[in-house]
Coordinates of all heavy atoms in Angstrom, one line a residue:
I16 N -7.7 -4.7 14.6 CA -8.5 -4.7 13.4 C -9.9 -4.8 13.9 O -10.2 -5.6 14.7 CB -8.1 -5.8 12.5 CG1 -6.7 -5.7 11.9 CG2 -9.1 -5.9 11.3 CD1 -6.2 -6.7 11.1
R17 N -10.7 -3.9 13.3 CA -12.2 -3.9 13.6 C -13.0 -4.5 12.3 O -12.7 -4.1 11.3 CB -12.7 -2.6 13.9 CG -12.2 -2.0 15.3 CD -13.0 -0.8 15.5 NE -13.8 -1.0 16.7 CZ -13.9 -0.1 17.6 NH1 -13.5 1.1 17.3 NH2 -14.7 -0.3 18.7
A18 N -14.1 -5.2 12.7 CA -14.9 -5.6 11.6 C -15.9 -4.4 11.2 O -16.2 -3.7 12.1 CB -15.8 -6.8 12.1
V19 N -16.2 -4.3 9.9 CA -17.1 -3.3 9.5 C -18.5 -3.7 10.0 O -19.0 -4.8 9.7 CB -17.1 -3.2 8.0 CG1 -18.2 -2.1 7.5 CG2 -15.7 -2.8 7.5
P20 N -19.3 -2.9 10.8 CA -20.6 -3.1 11.1 C -21.5 -3.4 9.9 O -21.3 -2.8 8.9 CB -21.1 -1.9 11.9 CG -19.8 -1.2 12.3 CD -18.8 -1.5 11.2
T21 N -22.4 -4.3 10.1 CA -23.3 -4.6 8.9 C -24.6 -3.7 9.0 O -25.2 -3.4 8.0 CB -23.7 -6.0 8.9 OG1 -24.3 -6.4 10.1 CG2 -22.5 -6.9 8.6
N22 N -25.0 -3.2 10.2 CA -26.1 -2.5 10.4 C -25.8 -1.0 10.2 O -24.8 -0.5 10.6 CB -26.5 -2.7 11.9 CG -27.7 -1.8 12.4 OD1 -27.6 -0.6 12.3 ND2 -28.8 -2.5 12.8
A23 N -26.8 -0.3 9.4 CA -26.5 1.1 9.1 C -26.4 2.0 10.3 O -25.5 2.9 10.3 CB -27.7 1.6 8.2
D24 N -27.2 1.8 11.3 CA -27.0 2.7 12.5 C -25.7 2.4 13.1 O -25.0 3.5 13.6 CB -28.1 2.3 13.5 CG -29.5 2.7 13.1 OD1 -29.6 3.8 12.3 OD2 -30.5 2.2 13.5
L25 N -25.2 1.2 13.2 CA -23.8 1.0 13.9 C -22.7 1.6 13.0 O -21.7 2.1 13.5 CB -23.7 -0.5 14.0 CG -24.5 -1.2 15.1 CD1 -24.3 -2.7 15.1 CD2 -24.3 -0.5 16.4
K26 N -22.9 1.5 11.6 CA -21.9 2.1 10.7 C -21.9 3.7 11.0 O -20.8 4.2 11.1 CB -22.3 1.9 9.3 CG -22.0 0.5 8.7 CD -22.5 0.5 7.3 CE -22.4 -1.0 6.8 NZ -22.7 -1.1 5.3
M27 N -23.0 4.3 11.1 CA -23.0 5.7 11.3 C -22.5 6.1 12.7 O -21.7 7.0 12.8 CB -24.5 6.3 11.1 CG -25.0 6.1 9.7 SD -26.6 6.9 9.5 CE -27.7 5.8 10.4
Q28 N -22.8 5.3 13.7 CA -22.3 5.5 15.0 C -20.7 5.4 15.1 O -20.1 6.3 15.6 CB -22.8 4.5 16.0 CG -22.3 4.7 17.4 CD -22.9 3.6 18.4 OE1 -23.8 2.9 18.0 NE2 -22.4 3.6 19.5
R29 N -20.2 4.4 14.4 CA -18.7 4.2 14.4 C -18.1 5.3 13.6 O -17.0 5.8 14.0 CB -18.4 2.8 13.8 CG -16.9 2.6 13.8 CD -16.3 2.6 15.2 NE -14.8 2.6 15.1 CZ -14.1 3.2 16.0 NH1 -14.6 3.7 17.1 NH2 -12.8 3.2 15.8
A30 N -18.6 5.7 12.4 CA -18.0 6.8 11.6 C -18.0 8.1 12.5 O -17.1 8.8 12.3 CB -18.9 6.9 10.4
L31 N -19.1 8.3 13.2 CA -19.1 9.6 14.0 C -18.0 9.5 15.1 O -17.4 10.6 15.4 CB -20.4 9.8 14.6 CG -21.5 10.3 13.7 CD1 -22.8 10.3 14.3 CD2 -21.1 11.7 13.1
E32 N -17.8 8.3 15.6 CA -16.7 8.2 16.6 C -15.3 8.5 15.9 O -14.5 9.2 16.6 CB -16.7 6.7 17.1 CG -17.9 6.5 18.1 CD -18.0 5.0 18.5 OE1 -17.1 4.1 18.1 OE2 -18.9 4.7 19.2
V33 N -15.1 8.0 14.8 CA -13.8 8.1 14.1 C -13.7 9.6 13.7 O -12.6 10.2 13.9 CB -13.7 7.3 12.8 CG1 -12.5 7.6 11.9 CG2 -13.7 5.8 13.2
F34 N -14.8 10.2 13.2 CA -14.7 11.6 12.9 C -14.4 12.5 14.1 O -13.6 13.4 14.1 CB -16.1 12.1 12.3 CG -16.1 13.5 11.9 CD1 -15.5 14.0 10.7 CD2 -16.6 14.5 12.7 CE1 -15.5 15.3 10.3 CE2 -16.6 15.8 12.4 CZ -16.0 16.3 11.3
N35 N -15.1 12.2 15.2 CA -15.0 13.0 16.4 C -13.5 12.9 17.1 O -13.1 13.8 17.8 CB -16.0 12.7 17.5 CG -17.4 13.3 17.1 OD1 -17.4 14.3 16.3 ND2 -18.4 12.6 17.5
A36 N -12.8 11.8 16.7 CA -11.5 11.6 17.2 C -10.5 12.3 16.2 O -9.3 12.3 16.4 CB -11.2 10.2 17.3
S37 N -10.9 12.8 15.1 CA -10.0 13.4 14.0 C -9.8 14.9 14.3 O -10.5 15.6 15.1 CB -10.6 13.2 12.6 OG -11.7 14.1 12.4
D38 N -8.8 15.5 13.5 CA -8.5 16.9 13.6 C -9.6 17.7 12.9 O -9.6 18.9 13.0 CB -7.2 17.2 12.9 CG -6.0 16.7 13.8 OD1 -6.2 16.5 15.0 OD2 -4.9 16.5 13.2
H39 N -10.4 17.1 12.1 CA -11.5 17.8 11.4 C -12.5 18.5 12.3 O -13.2 19.5 12.0 CB -12.2 16.9 10.4 CG -11.3 16.4 9.3 ND1 -10.8 17.2 8.3 CD2 -10.8 15.2 9.1 CE1 -10.1 16.5 7.5 NE2 -10.0 15.3 7.9
V40 N -12.6 18.0 13.5 CA -13.5 18.5 14.5 C -13.1 20.0 14.8 O -14.0 20.8 15.1 CB -13.5 17.7 15.8 CG1 -14.3 18.3 16.9 CG2 -14.1 16.3 15.5
R41 N -11.9 20.3 14.8 CA -11.3 21.7 15.1 C -11.8 22.6 14.0 O -12.3 23.7 14.3 CB -9.8 21.7 15.1 CG -9.3 21.0 16.4 CD -7.8 21.1 16.5 NE -7.4 22.5 16.4 CZ -6.2 22.9 16.1 NH1 -5.2 21.9 15.8 NH2 -5.8 24.1 16.0
T42 N -11.8 22.2 12.7 CA -12.3 22.9 11.6 C -13.8 23.3 11.8 O -14.2 24.4 11.7 CB -12.0 22.2 10.3 OG1 -10.7 22.0 10.1 CG2 -12.6 23.0 9.1
V43 N -14.5 22.3 12.0 CA -16.0 22.4 12.2 C -16.3 23.3 13.5 O -17.1 24.2 13.3 CB -16.6 21.0 12.4 CG1 -18.1 21.2 12.8 CG2 -16.6 20.3 11.1
G44 N -15.5 23.1 14.4 CA -15.7 23.9 15.6 C -15.4 25.4 15.4 O -16.1 26.3 15.9
G45 N -14.4 25.7 14.7 CA -14.0 27.0 14.3 C -15.1 27.7 13.5 O -15.4 28.9 13.7
V46 N -15.6 27.0 12.5 CA -16.6 27.6 11.6 C -17.9 27.8 12.5 O -18.5 28.8 12.3 CB -16.8 26.8 10.4 CG1 -18.1 27.3 9.5 CG2 -15.6 26.7 9.5
A47 N -18.2 26.9 13.3 CA -19.4 26.9 14.1 C -19.3 28.1 15.1 O -20.4 28.8 15.4 CB -19.6 25.7 14.9
R48 N -18.2 28.5 15.5 CA -18.0 29.7 16.4 C -18.5 31.0 15.6 O -19.0 31.9 16.2 CB -16.6 29.8 17.0 CG -16.3 28.9 18.1 CD -15.1 29.3 18.8 NE -13.9 28.9 18.1 CZ -13.4 27.7 17.9 NH1 -14.0 26.7 18.5 NH2 -12.3 27.5 17.2
S49 N -18.3 31.0 14.3 CA -18.6 32.2 13.5 C -20.0 32.1 13.0 O -20.8 33.1 13.0 CB -17.6 32.3 12.3 OG -16.3 32.5 12.8
L50 N -20.4 30.9 12.5 CA -21.7 30.7 11.8 C -22.8 30.1 12.5 O -23.9 30.0 12.1 CB -21.5 30.0 10.4 CG -20.5 30.6 9.5 CD1 -20.4 29.7 8.3 CD2 -20.9 32.1 9.1
G51 N -22.5 29.6 13.8 CA -23.5 28.9 14.6 C -23.5 27.4 14.3 O -22.7 26.9 13.5
A52 N -24.4 26.7 15.0 CA -24.5 25.3 14.8 C -24.8 24.8 13.4 O -25.7 25.4 12.7 CB -25.6 24.8 15.8
P53 N -24.2 23.8 12.9 CA -24.4 23.3 11.6 C -25.5 22.3 11.5 O -25.9 21.6 12.5 CB -23.0 22.7 11.1 CG -22.6 22.1 12.5 CD -23.0 23.2 13.5
A54 N -26.0 22.0 10.3 CA -26.8 20.9 10.1 C -25.8 19.8 9.7 O -24.9 20.0 9.0 CB -27.8 21.2 8.9
V55 N -26.1 18.6 10.1 CA -25.2 17.5 9.8 C -26.0 16.3 9.2 O -27.0 15.9 9.7 CB -24.5 17.0 11.1 CG1 -23.6 15.9 10.9 CG2 -23.7 18.1 11.7
S56 N -25.4 15.7 8.2 CA -26.0 14.5 7.6 C -25.0 13.3 7.6 O -23.8 13.6 7.3 CB -26.4 14.8 6.1 OG -26.6 13.6 5.5
V57 N -25.4 12.2 8.1 CA -24.5 11.1 8.2 C -25.3 9.9 7.5 O -26.4 9.6 7.8 CB -24.2 10.7 9.6 CG1 -23.3 9.5 9.7 CG2 -23.6 11.9 10.4
R58 N -24.6 9.3 6.5 CA -25.3 8.2 5.8 C -24.2 7.2 5.2 O -23.2 7.7 4.7 CB -26.2 8.7 4.6 CG -25.5 9.5 3.6 CD -26.4 9.9 2.5 NE -25.8 10.6 1.6 CZ -25.2 10.2 0.6 NH1 -25.2 8.9 0.3 NH2 -24.5 11.0 -0.3
P59 N -24.6 5.9 5.2 CA -23.7 4.9 4.6 C -23.9 5.0 3.1 O -25.0 5.4 2.6 CB -24.2 3.6 5.1 CG -25.1 3.9 6.3 CD -25.6 5.3 6.1
L60 N -22.9 4.8 2.3 CA -23.0 4.9 0.8 C -23.4 3.6 0.3 O -22.9 2.5 0.6 CB -21.7 5.3 0.2 CG -21.1 6.7 0.6 CD1 -19.8 7.0 -0.2 CD2 -22.1 7.7 0.3
A61 N -24.5 3.6 -0.5 CA -25.1 2.3 -1.1 C -24.1 1.6 -1.9 O -24.0 0.4 -1.9 CB -26.3 2.6 -1.8
D62 N -23.3 2.4 -2.8 CA -22.4 1.7 -3.7 C -21.1 1.3 -3.2 O -20.3 0.6 -3.7 CB -22.3 2.6 -4.9 CG -21.6 4.0 -4.6 OD1 -21.8 4.5 -3.4 OD2 -21.0 4.6 -5.4
R63 N -20.8 1.7 -1.9 CA -19.6 1.4 -1.2 C -19.9 1.1 0.2 O -19.8 2.0 1.1 CB -18.5 2.5 -1.3 CG -18.1 2.7 -2.8 CD -17.1 3.9 -3.0 NE -16.6 4.5 -1.9 CZ -16.2 5.8 -2.0 NH1 -16.3 6.6 -3.1 NH2 -15.7 6.4 -0.9
P64 N -20.3 -0.1 0.5 CA -20.9 -0.5 1.8 C -20.0 -0.2 3.1 O -20.6 -0.1 4.1 CB -21.2 -2.0 1.7 CG -21.1 -2.3 0.3 CD -20.2 -1.3 -0.4
S65 N -18.8 -0.1 2.8 CA -17.9 0.2 4.1 C -17.6 1.6 4.3 O -17.0 2.1 5.3 CB -16.5 -0.6 4.0 OG -15.8 0.0 2.9
V66 N -18.2 2.5 3.5 CA -17.9 4.0 3.5 C -19.1 4.7 4.1 O -20.3 4.4 3.6 CB -17.5 4.5 2.1 CG1 -17.3 6.1 2.2 CG2 -16.3 3.8 1.6
V67 N -18.9 5.6 5.0 CA -20.0 6.5 5.5 C -19.6 7.9 5.1 O -18.5 8.3 5.3 CB -20.1 6.3 7.0 CG1 -21.2 7.2 7.6 CG2 -20.4 4.9 7.4
A68 N -20.6 8.6 4.7 CA -20.4 10.0 4.2 C -21.0 11.0 5.4 O -22.1 10.7 5.9 CB -21.2 10.3 3.0
I69 N -20.3 12.0 5.7 CA -20.7 13.0 6.7 C -20.6 14.3 5.9 O -19.6 14.7 5.4 CB -19.8 13.1 7.9 CG1 -19.9 11.6 8.6 CG2 -20.2 14.2 8.8 CD1 -19.0 11.5 9.8
A70 N -21.7 15.1 6.0 CA -21.8 16.4 5.5 C -22.1 17.3 6.7 O -23.1 17.1 7.4 CB -22.8 16.5 4.3
V71 N -21.3 18.5 6.8 CA -21.6 19.4 7.8 C -21.9 20.8 7.1 O -21.0 21.1 6.3 CB -20.3 19.6 8.7 CG1 -20.6 20.6 9.8 CG2 -19.9 18.2 9.2
M72 N -23.0 21.3 7.3 CA -23.5 22.4 6.5 C -24.0 23.6 7.3 O -24.7 23.5 8.3 CB -24.8 21.9 5.6 CG -24.4 20.7 4.7 SD -25.9 19.7 4.4 CE -26.1 18.8 6.0
W73 N -23.7 24.8 6.8 CA -24.2 26.0 7.3 C -24.8 26.7 6.0 O -24.7 26.3 4.9 CB -23.1 26.9 7.8 CG -22.4 26.4 9.0 CD1 -22.8 26.6 10.4 CD2 -21.4 25.5 9.0 NE1 -21.9 26.0 11.2 CE2 -21.0 25.3 10.4 CE3 -20.5 25.0 8.1 CZ2 -20.0 24.4 10.8 CZ3 -19.5 24.1 8.5 CH2 -19.2 23.9 9.8
E74 N -25.4 27.9 6.2 CA -26.0 28.6 5.1 C -24.9 29.1 4.1 O -25.1 29.1 2.9 CB -26.8 29.8 5.6 CG -27.6 30.5 4.5 CD -28.5 31.5 5.1 OE1 -29.1 31.3 6.2 OE2 -28.6 32.6 4.5
L75 N -23.7 29.4 4.6 CA -22.8 30.0 3.7 C -21.5 29.0 3.4 O -20.7 29.4 2.7 CB -22.1 31.2 4.5 CG -23.1 32.3 4.8 CD1 -22.4 33.4 5.6 CD2 -23.6 32.8 3.5
S76 N -21.5 27.8 4.0 CA -20.4 27.0 3.9 C -20.8 25.5 4.1 O -21.7 25.3 4.8 CB -19.3 27.4 4.8 OG -18.2 26.5 4.8
W77 N -20.0 24.6 3.6 CA -20.3 23.2 3.9 C -18.9 22.4 3.7 O -18.0 22.8 3.0 CB -21.3 22.6 2.9 CG -21.1 22.7 1.5 CD1 -21.4 23.8 0.7 CD2 -20.3 21.9 0.6 NE1 -21.0 23.6 -0.6 CE2 -20.3 22.4 -0.7 CE3 -19.6 20.6 0.8 CZ2 -19.7 21.8 -1.7 CZ3 -19.0 20.1 -0.2 CH2 -19.0 20.7 -1.5
Y78 N -18.9 21.3 4.4 CA -17.7 20.3 4.3 C -18.3 18.9 4.1 O -19.3 18.6 4.8 CB -16.9 20.4 5.6 CG -16.1 21.7 5.8 CD1 -16.7 22.8 6.5 CD2 -14.9 21.9 5.2 CE1 -16.0 23.9 6.6 CE2 -14.2 23.0 5.3 CZ -14.8 24.1 6.1 OH -14.0 25.3 6.2
R79 N -17.6 18.2 3.3 CA -18.0 16.7 3.1 C -16.8 15.9 3.5 O -15.7 16.2 3.1 CB -18.5 16.5 1.7 CG -19.8 17.1 1.3 CD -20.2 16.9 -0.1 NE -19.9 15.6 -0.6 CZ -19.6 15.3 -1.8 NH1 -19.5 16.2 -2.8 NH2 -19.3 14.0 -2.2
Y80 N -17.2 14.8 4.2 CA -16.1 13.9 4.6 C -16.5 12.5 4.3 O -17.7 12.1 4.2 CB -15.9 14.0 6.1 CG -15.5 15.4 6.6 CD1 -16.4 16.3 7.0 CD2 -14.1 15.8 6.5 CE1 -16.0 17.6 7.4 CE2 -13.8 17.0 6.9 CZ -14.7 17.9 7.4 OH -14.4 19.2 7.8
E81 N -15.6 11.5 4.2 CA -15.9 10.1 4.1 C -15.0 9.4 5.0 O -13.8 9.8 5.1 CB -15.6 9.7 2.7 CG -16.7 10.1 1.6 CD -16.4 9.5 0.3 OE1 -15.4 8.9 0.0 OE2 -17.3 9.6 -0.6
I82 N -15.5 8.3 5.6 CA -14.8 7.4 6.5 C -15.0 6.1 5.9 O -16.1 5.6 5.7 CB -15.3 7.5 7.9 CG1 -15.1 8.9 8.6 CG2 -14.6 6.4 8.8 CD1 -16.3 9.7 8.5
D83 N -13.9 5.5 5.6 CA -14.0 4.0 5.1 C -13.7 3.1 6.4 O -12.6 3.1 6.9 CB -12.9 3.7 4.1 CG -13.0 2.4 3.5 OD1 -13.7 1.5 4.1 OD2 -12.3 2.2 2.4
L84 N -14.8 2.5 6.8 CA -14.7 1.6 8.1 C -13.8 0.4 7.9 O -13.5 -0.2 8.9 CB -16.1 1.3 8.5 CG -17.0 2.5 8.9 CD1 -18.4 2.0 9.3 CD2 -16.3 3.3 10.1
S85 N -13.6 0.0 6.6 CA -12.7 -1.1 6.4 C -11.2 -0.7 6.5 O -10.3 -1.5 6.5 CB -13.0 -1.8 5.0 OG -12.6 -0.9 4.0
D86 N -10.9 0.6 6.5 CA -9.7 1.1 6.6 C -9.6 2.4 7.6 O -9.3 3.4 7.2 CB -9.1 1.5 5.3 CG -7.6 2.1 5.3 OD1 -6.9 1.7 6.3 OD2 -7.3 2.8 4.4
E87 N -10.0 2.1 8.9 CA -10.1 3.2 9.8 C -8.7 4.0 10.0 O -8.7 5.1 10.3 CB -10.6 2.8 11.1 CG -12.1 2.5 11.1 CD -12.6 2.1 12.5 OE1 -12.0 2.5 13.5 OE2 -13.6 1.5 12.6
A88 N -7.7 3.2 9.8 CA -6.3 3.8 10.0 C -6.0 4.9 8.9 O -5.2 5.7 9.1 CB -5.2 2.7 9.9
G89 N -6.8 4.7 7.8 CA -6.7 5.8 6.8 C -7.3 7.1 7.2 O -7.1 8.1 6.5
G90 N -8.0 7.1 8.2 CA -8.6 8.3 8.8 C -9.8 8.9 8.0 O -10.3 8.1 7.1
V91 N -10.1 10.1 8.3 CA -11.3 10.8 7.7 C -10.7 11.5 6.5 O -9.7 12.2 6.5 CB -11.8 11.7 8.7 CG1 -13.0 12.5 8.0 CG2 -12.3 11.0 9.9
R92 N -11.4 11.3 5.3 CA -10.9 12.0 4.1 C -12.0 13.1 3.8 O -13.2 12.9 3.8 CB -11.0 11.0 3.0 CG -10.4 11.5 1.7 CD -10.3 10.4 0.6 NE -11.6 10.0 0.2 CZ -12.2 10.5 -0.9 NH1 -11.7 11.5 -1.5 NH2 -13.4 10.1 -1.2
R93 N -11.4 14.3 3.6 CA -12.3 15.4 3.2 C -12.6 15.3 1.7 O -11.6 15.0 0.8 CB -11.6 16.8 3.4 CG -12.6 17.9 3.1 CD -12.2 19.2 3.7 NE -12.9 20.2 3.1 CZ -12.5 21.3 2.6 NH1 -11.3 21.7 2.7 NH2 -13.4 22.3 2.2
V94 N -13.8 15.4 1.2 CA -14.2 15.2 -0.1 C -14.4 16.7 -0.6 O -15.1 17.5 -0.1 CB -15.6 14.4 -0.3 CG1 -16.0 14.4 -1.7 CG2 -15.5 13.1 0.4
V95 N -13.8 16.9 -1.8 CA -13.8 18.3 -2.4 C -14.7 18.3 -3.4 O -15.0 17.4 -4.2 CB -12.4 18.7 -2.9 CG1 -12.3 20.2 -3.0 CG2 -11.3 18.2 -2.0

């Protein structure tokens, strides 16, 4: 069991570690091979302090993900 970091930078760093260990990296990599490098936004959610949102964006496509650092075992959730 890990404690949820209280610092925004540490939250974002941990969320990226969890994301990079997930299968979603393959999806992003596949799209990046076709469309090039994406823009990426990583931010903690103000209304849900343990959740970090990640958006991966290209001109023609985007994916949104959420990582709940209080439940890392729940994995990365794609937001539709």
Side-chain angles (χ1 to χ4, degrees):
I16 297 177
R17 291 190 117 144
V19 176
T21 54
N22 174 302
D24 288 335
L25 293 175
K26 285 181 185 181
M27 292 185 294
Q28 178 182 354
R29 182 63 193 148
L31 286 170
E32 290 170 359
V33 172
F34 180 82
N35 286 334
S37 76
D38 289 336
H39 296 290
V40 172
R41 290 182 53 201
T42 301
V43 171
V46 176
R48 280 191 289 282
S49 297
L50 299 180
V55 178
S56 169
V57 181
R58 63 181 177 84
L60 298 181
D62 60 333
R63 297 177 5 207
S65 66
V66 177
V67 176
I69 298 176
V71 183
M72 304 155 283
W73 295 268
E74 189 173 317
L75 301 173
S76 180
W77 56 269
Y78 291 94
R79 290 178 40 212
Y80 302 95
E81 288 183 351
I82 296 97
D83 186 345
L84 297 176
S85 68
D86 181 24
E87 287 184 22
V91 178
R92 185 175 73 86
R93 184 163 172 226
V94 179
V95 200

